[in-house]
Amino acid sequence: MRWTQALIPTLKESPADAEIVSHKLLLRAGLIRKLSGGLYTFLPLGFRALKKVERIVREEMDRAGALEVLMPALQPPEIWQQSGRYETASDVFFKVRDRSKKEWILGPTHEEVITTMVAGELNSYRQLPKNFYQIQTKFRDEIRPRFGLMRAKEFIMKDAYSFDVSDDAAQKSYQKMYDAYTRIFQRCGLKAIPVEADTGVMGGKYSHEFMVPADTGENEVVYCDDCNYAANIEKSTSRHIMHADLGKNDSALEKFATPGVVTIDALTKAPYGVAADRQIKTLVYIVENKPVLILLRGDHQLNEAKLVGTLGTATYRAAEAEEIFAALKAHPGSLGAIGVQGIPVYADEVLRHVTGMTTGANEDGFHVRNVSIDRDIQVKQWADLRLTQAGESCSHCGKPLKIRRAIEVGHVFKLGTKYSVALGANFSDEAQKSQPAVMGCYGIGVTRTLQAIIEQSNDKDGIIWPLSVAPYQVCMTPLNVANDGIVMKLAEQIYSELTVRGVDVILDDRDERPGVKFKDADLIGFPIRLAIGEKSLAKGEVEIKFRGGELTFVKAEEAVAKILELVKK
Ligand code: ATP
Ligand code: MG
């Protein structure tokens, strides 16, 4: 490609609405342009990089034995009703109507479609296992589309769905995808760490997310440097034994006035001085239309994913002020569970057997001290409900846990038979008995991966592409295009030789100052730059430089061989 024939609209300044470095660089390097919030056009260079990521994904899926298909983006709502997700997933749907006013859904994911296809096409254990994948546009009405391609309304996903005869067989399919994902991200030059992930209401099954560590990531990962434990914070656990730490207190309950105190923090201050870890925090949630109480230690936060797992339903929300008052006759800040009748109480396991605690009295402006949880509060269920905090002990090895932010680029998930049962994807086993297929689903955000590569690999001058996904691997920069006798003649000759040898090369044939050309090449981040100028040519040499590396000089006649070696052609 010749630069003068391409469309590479680089920008000096970052557009004001780009908040994170990768989003800024995508725009500045002329890779994408915004149409509207969460909707982007891939310009030619961005599209080339995207295709390269897709190619890696496709090669690894094929290598793992998955079969490529293409499903419709437009989906009938009936299949979502059949799977039971029409209501629960409806907040992400983009819905459209046809001329007869019938509703359709722009697919946010494809479990329902693939399972319907499989229900019609596969019927014997002899045909299993099967794994189908596609690379396709997904639509999601995200609450907060942001950060460019990271969280878009329309994005490209590779989604795969495996069908097996048994749980054991499904585990093998899962492992194949896990291994394929590891290779995909490696080949993309991306450091992506598999972490244990939450499985939501489906509960109990197995799931890993592939996370790219980045301060701008929307996820938090809890990890242990010592034993390599790593989990999404939603899923993470920590070792925390509390009653042993605090000793025993048998004193009688004692109500005391706390006028104006409505936070845990305020109660820690004089004249009360009740440490946060000696307080019981009472939260009121509405679960399937009924109030429930959730008890946590004062210095802990609720992990909503664990709450969903404990309740077995995702139909829950924090109660409104009136609902809280109706349930407990007090306002937030003075809430407690002592003597509460008819409202189920879920308590975090850290509170088991604790004594000497302080909690709200269910009377505005009052608290109660000397609470012994076993004696004073009727707990319906103990569960791990708290959010892990940095510094707590690893549940596996006891060493302190750390927390860092990360970008989720992929997700592998053992689904079980939820969809095959609902949509009739059954097969007859060896004994001619009908069984639902055991499923797994596997997603990679292809467009998000592209941006994550940039987020992880850049410097003050711009992007640093790995060779595998760079829009062009080599940028040739003749320093003076007016010199068509020597400089351009050699440039054209090397350019055509490299092109013939299948090297992805762009020739910057613009009549611009070298500084301008180098700046653009660095901003876009071509991995290898080959500069041809009168000065070094006087010594028979050209300049080769890796993006961000040192300048090296090679004999002009060896340039092609050297480049071929560098790109391993
Ligand atoms: P997130 O928690 O980030 O919303 P998710 O759990 O909804 O992700 P999945 O449904 O598992 O994601 O989708 C598979 C992959 O698709 C994700 O790992 C992510 O890389 C990508 N992805 C999901 N939502 C978006 C989006 N709005 N924009 C771009 N990529 C996305
Ligand atoms: Mg999502």
Side-chain angles (χ1 to χ4, degrees):
M1 175 55 66
R2 290 164 196 279
W3 200 297
T4 51
Q5 286 162 25
L7 173 67
I8 310 177
T10 56
L11 306 172
K12 282 208 178 62
E13 306 291 335
S14 305
D17 60 348
E19 294 164 68
I20 65 175
V21 64
S22 53
H23 186 196
K24 289 178 188 167
L25 288 172
L26 277 165
L27 292 163
R28 285 193 55 210
L31 303 176
I32 62 167
R33 281 297 178 263
K34 177 170 152 182
L35 174 63
S36 175
L39 300 175
Y40 292 87
T41 297
F42 279 84
L43 299 185
L45 248 50
F47 191 58
R48 284 184 72 89
L50 178 65
K51 287 283 148 193
K52 290 191 177 179
V53 175
E54 280 186 14
R55 192 158 116 197
I56 292 173
V57 171
R58 187 171 274 119
E59 282 174 8
E60 292 300 336
M61 284 293 120
D62 292 347
R63 191 217 289 240
L67 305 168
E68 188 167 9
V69 294
L70 183 60
M71 294 179 251
L74 204 58
Q75 304 184 10
E78 290 76 14
I79 55 175
W80 288 82
Q81 268 143 6
Q82 232 178 311
S83 73
R85 286 208 291 186
Y86 184 78
E87 303 296 337
T88 52
S90 70
D91 56 339
V92 301
F93 290 158
F94 277 108
K95 294 176 182 169
V96 293
R97 291 192 182 275
D98 64 16
R99 60 184 69 227
S100 69
K101 302 283 179 285
K102 181 184 158 32
E103 178 187 287
W104 298 86
I105 291 164
L106 288 172
T109 179
H110 279 71
E111 281 82 4
E112 281 78 0
V113 180
I114 194 74
T115 313
T116 302
M117 187 281 276
V118 165
E121 304 307 320
L122 300 179
N123 47 40
S124 162
Y125 72 95
R126 288 193 195 87
Q127 296 167 296
L128 300 181
K130 283 278 181 299
N131 189 344
F132 300 100
Y133 81 96
Q134 63 173 349
I135 297 176
Q136 192 221 29
T137 301
K138 299 280 187 267
F139 300 87
R140 291 188 183 181
D141 190 3
E142 297 281 358
I143 300 172
R144 259 191 97 190
R146 58 178 184 158
F147 298 162
L149 308 174
M150 287 288 187
R151 187 164 297 285
K153 288 193 169 95
E154 179 182 329
F155 60 96
I156 296 175
M157 195 200 286
K158 185 288 299 172
D159 43 329
Y161 308 90
S162 63
F163 296 82
D164 276 283
V165 296
S166 67
D167 233 40
D168 281 354
Q171 181 61 32
K172 290 201 183 88
S173 298
Y174 181 92
Q175 191 61 42
K176 267 193 191 162
M177 286 296 105
Y178 182 103
D179 296 342
Y181 276 33
T182 306
R183 280 197 300 269
I184 287 168
F185 295 122
Q186 242 164 32
R187 286 183 60 187
C188 288
L190 204 50
K191 189 174 155 227
I193 301 155
V195 310
E196 292 175 20
D198 181 51
T199 49
V201 257
M202 286 177 244
K205 303 286 173 190
Y206 214 53
S207 173
H208 286 90
E209 288 161 340
F210 285 76
M211 292 286 195
V212 174
D215 293 341
T216 54
E218 294 186 284
N219 290 86
E220 282 185 291
V221 171
V222 174
Y223 65 101
C224 172
D225 279 335
D226 251 73
C227 71
N228 286 333
Y229 168 74
N232 189 313
I233 192 159
E234 293 180 339
K235 166 83 177 172
S236 69
T237 57
S238 59
R239 196 184 289 176
H240 214 113
I241 303 157
M242 164 158 169
H243 59 278
D245 308 346
L246 295 182
K248 208 161 164 56
N249 173 339
D250 284 333
S251 311
L253 286 178
E254 184 189 331
K255 189 161 96 177
F256 62 106
T258 50
V261 169
V262 293
T263 61
I264 299 283
D265 191 47
L267 201 58
T268 65
K269 305 265 160 64
Y272 313 106
V274 184
D277 65 4
R278 291 295 190 117
Q279 300 184 41
I280 298 175
K281 187 194 291 194
T282 308
L283 306 175
V284 186
Y285 272 69
I286 304 294
V287 178
E288 291 177 339
N289 297 320
K290 296 205 185 76
V292 306
L293 300 190
I294 293 148
L295 308 187
L296 295 166
R297 209 172 72 180
D299 57 334
H300 288 159
Q301 306 297 323
L302 176 65
N303 181 335
E304 294 202 351
K306 287 184 183 170
L307 181 66
V308 168
T310 302
L311 297 170
T313 171
T315 313
Y316 75 97
R317 60 178 170 81
E320 307 283 348
E322 318 78 80
E323 291 166 323
I324 294 174
F325 195 80
L328 296 177
K329 303 288 173 289
H331 291 101
S334 303
L335 306 179
I338 299 171
V340 168
Q341 302 281 326
I343 304 177
V345 176
Y346 294 85
D348 182 57
E349 61 190 7
V350 156
L351 295 173
R352 262 185 211 270
H353 311 310
V354 289
T355 60
M357 302 295 280
T358 296
T359 191
N362 283 339
E363 186 179 338
D364 288 347
F366 287 91
H367 279 79
V368 181
R369 60 168 73 99
N370 301 331
V371 180
S372 291
I373 203 156
D374 294 345
R375 179 190 68 191
D376 303 322
I377 295 177
Q378 217 175 357
V379 174
K380 174 183 156 84
Q381 192 179 333
W382 295 96
D384 176 9
L385 293 171
R386 72 192 182 281
L387 213 54
T388 306
Q389 294 175 355
E392 291 178 357
S393 303
C394 174
S395 330
H396 299 267
C397 72
K399 294 280 158 39
L401 291 167
K402 294 180 182 167
I403 298 181
R404 71 176 154 205
R405 300 197 75 81
I407 301 163
E408 177 197 327
V409 286
H411 194 175
V412 292
F413 204 112
K414 259 180 89 176
L415 281 173
T417 56
K418 174 182 150 94
Y419 296 95
S420 40
V421 167
L423 294 149
N426 301 313
F427 67 96
S428 56
D429 65 13
E430 275 176 89
Q432 302 297 314
K433 204 171 145 244
S434 179
Q435 305 267 10
V438 183
M439 291 175 60
C441 69
Y442 317 94
I444 289 182
V446 178
T447 39
R448 187 186 284 182
T449 296
L450 180 78
Q451 185 167 342
I453 295 168
I454 300 175
E455 188 67 22
Q456 197 172 70
S457 184
N458 65 77
D459 66 10
K460 65 176 190 352
D461 298 320
I463 303 169
I464 306 176
W465 285 111
L467 272 169
S468 58
V469 290
Y472 291 95
Q473 297 177 315
V474 180
C475 176
M476 289 185 53
T477 313
L479 300 185
N480 179 2
V481 295
N483 184 337
D484 54 1
I486 303 171
V487 172
M488 279 316 278
K489 195 167 158 223
L490 180 66
E492 290 288 353
Q493 187 193 329
I494 296 176
Y495 174 66
S496 94
E497 276 183 54
L498 288 175
T499 308
V500 168
R501 304 294 282 271
V503 177
D504 255 349
V505 53
I506 184 163
L507 175 65
D508 190 351
D509 57 347
R510 292 177 297 169
D511 190 6
E512 287 281 3
R513 283 180 292 113
V516 172
K517 293 187 177 193
F518 287 154
K519 249 198 157 66
D520 273 347
D522 280 351
L523 173 60
I524 298 163
F526 302 114
I528 297 166
R529 194 177 75 199
L530 172 65
I532 301 169
E534 287 163 8
K535 234 163 93 200
S536 31
L537 267 189
K539 287 186 270 172
E541 289 175 334
V542 294
E543 297 168 13
I544 292 180
K545 187 171 177 293
F546 257 104
R547 174 69 177 80
E550 293 296 310
L551 204 60
T552 56
F553 294 89
V554 293
K555 291 267 166 253
E557 59 274 19
E558 287 162 14
V560 171
K562 183 71 189 166
I563 298 275
L564 289 174
E565 180 196 318
L566 292 175
V567 302
K568 298 186 189 70
K569 277 272 177 190

